[in-house]
Each structure stands twice: as structure tokens, then as C-alpha cells.
Amino acid sequence: MRIKEIQTYILKVPLGEKRFFSSQCAFPERNSLLVKILTDEGIYGWGEGGQYGPAEPVQIAIEKVLTPLLIGKDPLDKEILWHQMYNHTRDFGQKGTYIEAISAIDIALWDICGKALNVSVSKLMGGRQRDAVDMYATGCYYRGDQYLDLGKTLDALEKEAASYVDLGFKMIKIKLGLLSVEQDAKRVEAIRKTVGEDIGILADCNHAYNAYTAIRMGRVLEANRVLFMEEPVLPEDIEGYRRVRGKLDIAIAAGECEFTLYGFKRLISEGCIDIAQPDICCTGGLSEYLRIRTFAQAHTTAVIPHAWGSGIALAVALQALASTPLEPHTANPVMFQNEPMIEYDRNFNPLRDELLIHNIGIENGKVKVPDGPGLGVDVDMDILKKYI
Ligand SMILES: [Mg+2]
């Protein structure tokens, strides 16, 4: 089998009134870069990358730099091709755009391999340990201009958190860091009061703080029985991570802004994190995710992939989690229940909820892993055309 053609699609959905904010930026739209690799035998594979920031640079990296390396090659040689792409771009692309481009291509190659062998990607990754994956809701962002009025914010937050409990979520991740520690503390307390003690709360700061402020915020989280603190400090601030983790008892999670095994080697071996959160569509694809997962296991660091993007990205994370062995109780038995978890963003996202021919749904409080060969999903081209 040979690679015949590589197509790229940039999808965008303006959010209008539904826009939301993290501590770092506004989200005025949903965007996604999809890759379709076609072979001379009619088998094709889908991949996704370029979810952070504009997708156009990633598209150019794929079209101008990586595609010429791949045309005519055997797609089943995905490991060989990964290293060829990485070696070709190493001098200028160890993080960011080029790694996201490699991620998208690598995922499409895994999809092709699965289809060629008539097995799922999770089977290719060593076997399917589960057919459905526990999930946590990501929500409780800063919305509209509500954050200017803490009273309205608290009211809306309580309703939002309660709605996730009603949907069957046992774990909710909330956003922090846009307001002062004192104001954000009120948000955490309000959510804890609303959901009670049986629901797990996780907190994502999107690297809002310096180490000193992160420690102050961390103590608020500990007082509210929050289970992990995500990205307390800047991704570059290795010293800060170590200081925060050394001072706090709460588990520290990070990795969505980190790339490749080399990046996670530093985060894990330098004692920065308890939970690694590689985004498979950004960190180097499924091939690199497997290497990161193995490295993390050797350091008893849990891995909960960051999941963002379209239905393709969700299928990728599900396939990876289906093959993940049971995790040790790294942070809290209630949190992991010895089972890995998938991040399930609750914001409006038609690219995730409408794009596939068979969209992925929730069943009995879990997300079902698609079966069928490869990623087990296919894109509805009519829907895709709506968003390009
Ligand atoms: Mg995050």
C-alpha cells in the first residue's frame, strides 16, 4: 500500500453569544484542522491537529514540508515515518506547529493501519481493556461578561455545575485564574456547596499564576477538597512547578502545552507533576502518546489525556484510553477508581457533536469507545462542508 494524497481541512464555527473565556484567552470560535490521507488501495485515514491557536500554520507545515516526505511511502510503516518527519523538522520544530502537524498525520496513519488489518486502533495499541470510558465534565468557564459581576457569575456557575450532576457526571473540572484568588475562591466554594461532597471537583488554572500565587490558590482548593490543580504555573516554569508541588498536598496535573516524550521526560523526571495530560492531537500523535504513557508508568505518574477538538480527536482519545492499563491510585482512590478517565468538554461544539456519520454518545455515565476498524469513525462530508 502507498500514500497517494494528503488532504487538509480547516473547520471553523463562530460561537457568537456562546463564546467563553479561560484565564488566558477568549474562545470566539471552535476550530480544527483535519487531515485525510488517501492510499492507492482506496483505504483512507483521518487525523486531527492544530487545535491550539490558528490552524493555518499547521496546514502549511503539512502541505509544504511533510507531504513531500510521505507521498509514495507505505502507511503501515508509521513508526519509520514518524521518525523521518521528526528528524526532518527537529532543528526548527521541537514544539508547537510541526509537532501538531506530525500528530495529525500519525493519527491518520494509525487509522489506515487499523482499517488495513480490520482491527480497531485500541486493538493495535495492545488490546481493548474496556468498551466505555469514565468521563469528567469540563465546564464552569468564565462566560460572556459575567465575570465582571461576581454575583451573576456565582448564580450561573451553580446552575451549570448542578446540570452536570443531573447528566450523571461524577467529576467536574472548573476554570480558575481570570479573577483574583479571593474572587475565584468564592467560585470554588459555591460549586462545592452546590454539588455536595460526593462529586469530584478538578480545577484548571491555564497557567495563570506565579508559584507564590499558585500556592495560595492551591490552599483554597485543598480546603474545598479539590482533587487536582491543573497548570498552576507557566509551562516553561519547571522550578515553579517543583515549588508548588513541594508546598501543596493536592495533585498537580499538566501537559496540554507540552510536546513529545522529551517534553514529558522533563516534566515527570524533574518532579513537576502527579498527572500527565498529553493532548494526542498536539503532542506527537498516538505513536508518541504510547511512548509518553510508558515513561509515565515507569514513574507511577497517571496519564489523563487532554481532549479538545472535533469528533476525530474524541475518537482518538477514546481509542487510546480503551487500551490503557488500570492506573494506580496516584492521587485519590475516589478520583480514579483504578480506571482512566476521558475529559469531556461541555461547551457548545458541533465539530465534536455533529461531524461524524455516527456521533459518539454517552451511555450510563460513560463514553462508548467506537468499534469498527481504525478509529471506528468516519466524517460526514456534507457536515464538514458546512464548516470549511
Ligand atoms: Mg487545561
Side-chain angles (χ1 to χ4, degrees), residues 49-178:
Q51 297 150 299
Y52 302 163
E56 286 80 1
V58 184
Q59 183 181 45
I60 289 170
I62 290 171
E63 289 181 354
K64 303 284 185 203
V65 182
L66 299 178
T67 295
L69 297 178
L70 298 166
I71 297 298
K73 299 281 175 60
D74 184 346
L76 302 189
D77 289 339
K78 53 187 166 40
E79 188 73 12
I80 292 172
L81 298 177
W82 195 98
H83 287 285
Q84 283 180 355
M85 291 188 285
Y86 186 75
N87 291 338
H88 188 72
T89 55
R90 167 181 272 132
D91 288 9
F92 44 86
Q94 294 163 24
K95 290 181 192 287
T97 299
Y98 282 98
I99 302 300
E100 293 184 45
I102 291 172
S103 304
I105 288 169
D106 177 77
I107 290 164
L109 295 177
W110 276 82
D111 192 23
I112 291 171
C113 285
K115 288 172 178 168
L117 299 170
N118 200 27
V119 295
S120 66
V121 162
S122 46
K123 195 88 169 165
L124 271 187
M125 294 177 85
R128 188 181 280 233
Q129 311 229 27
R130 55 193 64 78
D131 292 319
V133 178
D134 286 344
M135 58 188 183
Y136 72 81
T138 294
C140 297
Y141 278 72
Y142 303 91
R143 298 190 190 280
D145 56 5
Q146 286 168 358
Y147 65 87
L148 298 174
D149 181 336
L150 197 61
K152 275 192 200 163
T153 296
L154 295 182
D155 213 35
L157 266 184
E158 287 166 10
K159 285 198 183 88
E160 185 181 344
S163 76
Y164 300 144
V165 177
D166 290 346
L167 279 171
F169 284 95
K170 300 275 189 296
M171 195 86 66
I172 300 171
K173 189 163 86 182
I174 67 172
K175 289 287 172 174
L176 292 178
L178 190 60

Side-chain angles (χ1 to χ4, degrees), residues 136 141 173 175 204-206 230-231 256 277 306 343:
Y136 72 81
Y141 278 72
K173 189 163 86 182
K175 289 287 172 174
D204 187 359
C205 316
N206 292 99
E230 179 172 326
E231 287 201 295
E256 68 182 75
Q277 298 172 300
H306 178 257
E343 173 169 22

